[in-house]
Amino acid sequence: MKIKVEITLTIDEYTEDARETQVQIEEDIPEGFQNLNAWEQNVRNIGFRSMRMLFSNGIELYEEKMLSEYIHKDSDCHTVKRGLREFTLKTAFGKVKFLRRRVFCKTCNEWITPIDKALGLHDDEHEKATAGFKELSCLCSVKQPYRQATETIRHVTQDPEIVSHEEVRQIVQEEGKQVRHQEEDDREDAVFGFVRAIQNRPDRVPPSSGRLYICLDGTFVRSSAGKNQFYEGKVGFICTDARQSAGNRLTIPLKRYISSFQDTYVFGGRVRGQALRMGIRLYREVFIIGDGARWIREIREQRFPGTIYILDWYHLRERLYSALKLTLPNDETRRNDNFSTLNSYLWIGMKHEALQALRELY
């Protein structure tokens, strides 16, 4: 069985006539259609080869058009084409190699590779990753170690040599830094924007009858495999009491996530910035929900004074049971009955009844 794929790329922006380039792939499959799984893999291999060739040829066609109109610095510059340089891009469908035309400006006595600026490439790099590949690397690294993420990326791109686990780590860390910079910019914009709004329209801030919830927690992450060293990551979730129907469940339409491995001061500032972006001053009540950790109480005192602190349900039940175990150490039946009763009171918000029941234990 023989498969032939032909794809034609056309740029019709030339003034004289259109330019075309063709991608042609011929593949022999000696065994033909053996079974569904084998055929799926054959089609996938051909598809990925087609995508790589299409990507490469498209860049070369674009470069041809760009060079036909290229001016170095001004019209007095005299440029001549002098050879080609190979470049490799990591893409979401594997490594793609293509040639870049080098140009020498005799007027400025300077070497240029014009396509570099157009594509965001650099002469001092031999390989570069596209935004699609970076996104793939980050998605694959969210819930698995870098080595496993690397294997997933190799499988998805059908390229067993596309990247190493160290390169994946560097990509994720670099993308993370950019996200952090963007978060800091957003936080500063939110703070200054809120202040300007109050200064310009102090009496026009509409009141809100809703509630804002700020949930904070911490988790420990191992520094590296085999080492008994951990870092605490702080995470935050902010939402309103608004809900919307999505089938058989309710979803939260307005929410924000925050995370950091830095200290309480930095993390608290980020949480404050996101809360300002969500209009914290417009809400009738603001709740801080946490597990009772000292750093959460510090953020509340420093960044959100006057808010209502609530111990989360899991830790409330845990501390309630610990208190009953100390109060009724030798009466398991009575302890469990009281635990069940107090749970019911607390779950439906009957705090006065719960407090009275606790007093009666003494």
Side-chain angles (χ1 to χ4, degrees):
M1 180 182 289
K2 177 172 289 189
I3 296 179
K4 185 176 182 179
V5 178
E6 291 186 3
I7 302 173
T8 302
L9 283 174
T10 305
I11 292 184
D12 53 5
E13 298 171 1
Y14 286 92
T15 55
E16 298 177 359
D17 57 349
R19 293 289 192 275
E20 291 186 352
T21 182
Q22 287 191 335
V23 176
Q24 295 185 352
I25 295 178
E26 290 190 11
E27 185 80 13
D28 288 318
I29 304 179
E31 297 83 1
F33 191 104
Q34 303 174 64
N35 56 63
L36 190 64
N37 294 332
W39 182 245
E40 177 188 41
Q41 189 59 48
N42 287 331
V43 171
R44 193 177 185 199
N45 291 340
I46 294 170
F48 271 78
R49 283 183 56 199
S50 302
M51 286 189 287
R52 292 166 191 158
M53 291 183 65
L54 178 61
F55 191 84
S56 174
N57 287 16
I59 291 175
E60 292 176 3
L61 187 60
Y62 173 73
E63 183 185 49
E64 180 185 344
K65 176 183 181 301
M66 188 188 67
L67 290 175
S68 67
E69 307 167 345
Y70 180 70
I71 298 175
H72 181 211
K73 291 182 179 179
D74 52 49
S75 56
D76 293 331
C77 286
H78 177 57
T79 57
V80 291
K81 298 176 181 179
R82 293 280 180 86
L84 299 167
R85 299 186 69 180
E86 188 177 76
F87 197 85
T88 304
L89 269 176
K90 295 183 178 73
T91 73
F93 35 83
K95 282 187 178 181
V96 177
K97 295 183 178 181
F98 57 92
L99 297 174
R100 300 172 297 162
R101 175 67 63 179
R102 295 188 74 196
V103 173
F104 182 73
C105 180
K106 293 184 176 181
T107 307
C108 303
N109 195 31
E110 183 179 345
W111 286 97
I112 317 106
T113 309
I115 194 68
D116 282 357
K117 184 177 181 181
L119 301 182
L121 307 179
H122 304 282
D123 284 330
D124 58 342
E125 294 183 7
H126 298 292
E127 291 189 357
K128 192 174 178 70
T130 63
F133 181 78
K134 292 177 181 178
E135 180 182 16
L136 175 63
S137 299
C138 293
L139 290 173
C140 291
S141 303
V142 168
K143 294 185 178 179
Q144 55 185 343
Y146 291 126
R147 291 184 184 275
Q148 294 180 17
T150 302
E151 294 303 317
T152 303
I153 294 167
R154 291 171 178 173
H155 177 73
V156 170
T157 60
Q158 291 287 283
D159 189 339
E161 299 180 354
I162 188 168
V163 73
S164 67
H165 73 275
E166 176 59 24
E167 290 171 324
V168 173
R169 185 189 69 80
Q170 292 175 3
I171 288 174
V172 172
Q173 289 193 344
E174 185 60 33
E175 292 299 298
K177 289 179 182 177
Q178 294 184 23
V179 170
R180 288 301 181 215
H181 290 319
Q182 184 61 52
E183 286 181 347
E184 287 300 312
D185 292 342
D186 290 344
R187 181 181 66 82
E188 292 177 2
D189 290 344
V191 172
F192 292 128
F194 182 80
V195 171
R196 285 194 296 269
I198 295 298
Q199 291 174 342
N200 296 334
R201 299 182 303 174
D203 300 323
R204 298 184 184 180
V205 179
S208 173
S209 60
R211 292 170 175 163
L212 188 71
Y213 300 98
I214 302 174
C215 308
L216 305 176
D217 202 357
T219 182
F220 285 92
V221 180
R222 189 186 294 273
S223 61
S224 60
K227 293 184 178 180
N228 192 26
Q229 184 177 0
F230 295 83
Y231 296 106
E232 184 181 25
K234 297 176 177 63
V235 294
F237 173 73
I238 307 177
C239 70
T240 70
D241 58 355
R243 300 293 182 268
Q244 64 184 20
S245 178
N248 296 325
R249 62 191 182 91
L250 295 176
T251 61
I252 304 173
L254 185 60
K255 54 192 173 183
R256 294 284 190 278
Y257 294 93
I258 314 98
S259 64
S260 178
F261 280 100
Q262 294 180 278
D263 58 30
T264 301
Y265 180 81
V266 174
F267 179 67
R270 291 176 179 167
V271 176
R272 177 69 177 174
Q274 289 298 331
L276 286 171
R277 288 178 67 83
M278 294 183 68
I280 185 173
R281 298 289 181 87
L282 308 181
Y283 291 90
R284 178 172 54 85
E285 293 179 312
V286 178
F287 296 90
I288 307 294
I289 302 174
D291 59 6
R294 181 180 298 175
W295 66 267
I296 296 178
R297 297 198 299 270
E298 288 178 359
I299 287 179
R300 174 179 173 262
E301 293 168 1
Q302 296 170 4
R303 305 288 184 172
F304 303 99
T307 56
I308 303 169
Y309 185 84
I310 297 178
L311 187 66
D312 67 64
W313 181 246
Y314 175 85
H315 288 89
L316 177 60
R317 281 169 49 88
E318 184 179 60
R319 296 188 184 189
L320 175 61
Y321 189 81
S322 298
L324 291 172
K325 196 171 183 180
L326 290 172
T327 307
L328 305 169
N330 302 318
D331 194 340
E332 183 178 358
T333 301
R334 189 182 173 199
R335 183 170 67 240
N336 290 338
D337 288 343
N338 278 275
F339 182 68
S340 177
T341 301
L342 289 165
N343 259 331
S344 300
Y345 285 152
L346 293 170
W347 180 252
I348 60 178
M350 298 173 62
K351 61 181 181 180
H352 297 297
E353 289 78 0
L355 289 172
Q356 182 59 36
L358 286 170
R359 292 190 188 100
E360 291 174 358
L361 293 176
Y362 292 97

